[in-house]
Amino acid sequence: MKKQTKLTKELIQLLQGEKIVSLVTTNVETGLPNLSMISWVLADPSGKKIHFAVGHKASSIDNIENDPNVILGVIGAGSCFSIKGKGEVSDIIEKTMKMRVVTVEVESVEDVMFYGGKVTIEPQYEKTYANDKGHLSF
């Protein structure tokens, strides 16, 4: 897959809810790359935006407000993808918890799987906190 300027239909379908996605931002204090993992992700049907939620005090919020360039790492749809874009942070939203939503304007999507490799099983995770609040929406 060549570099694309928006998400494919397959990636849009993949990013509709709770998926393990890596988030790379630039640390506001050190200027170095900062890696964190997120799971509340929602791709816009246009393929041009991705929304994700984080806790309202997450360090990635300060990082994105200082430098909006982000990379989202996605494993699924048979491969690994690097999605680059610029993030914009919402005000604090109070639902079942205080959170902020980051909207990423997708600039490029690149298949970064090593030559000859194919993802056959997508990563899974288990929540270790009480999930009695129902489905999260933003």
Side-chain angles (χ1 to χ4, degrees), residues 40-61:
W40 298 331
V41 183
L42 184 61
D44 187 81
S46 70
K48 296 180 180 181
K49 293 181 183 181
I50 299 173
H51 311 279
F52 64 87
V54 293
H56 73 291
K57 293 183 179 180
S59 61
S60 58
I61 295 299

Side-chain angles (χ1 to χ4, degrees), residues 6 35 52-53 69 73:
K6 66 180 191 174
L35 173 66
F52 64 87
N69 293 297

Side-chain angles (χ1 to χ4, degrees), residues 108-132:
S108 69
V109 180
E110 185 175 8
D111 187 329
V112 294
M113 187 68 177
F114 53 85
Y115 178 77
K118 180 180 178 180
V119 173
T120 56
I121 299 174
E122 292 179 17
Q124 297 179 348
Y125 68 97
E126 181 178 311
K127 294 179 187 175
T128 58
Y129 58 87
N131 186 21
D132 58 354

Side-chain angles (χ1 to χ4, degrees), residues 81-100:
F81 299 89
S82 172
I83 302 167
K84 295 179 183 176
K86 295 210 180 338
E88 185 176 322
V89 181
S90 76
D91 291 331
I92 294 174
I93 299 169
E94 290 197 49
K95 293 224 177 198
T96 56
M97 61 179 271
K98 287 183 181 180
M99 64 179 173
R100 302 200 57 192

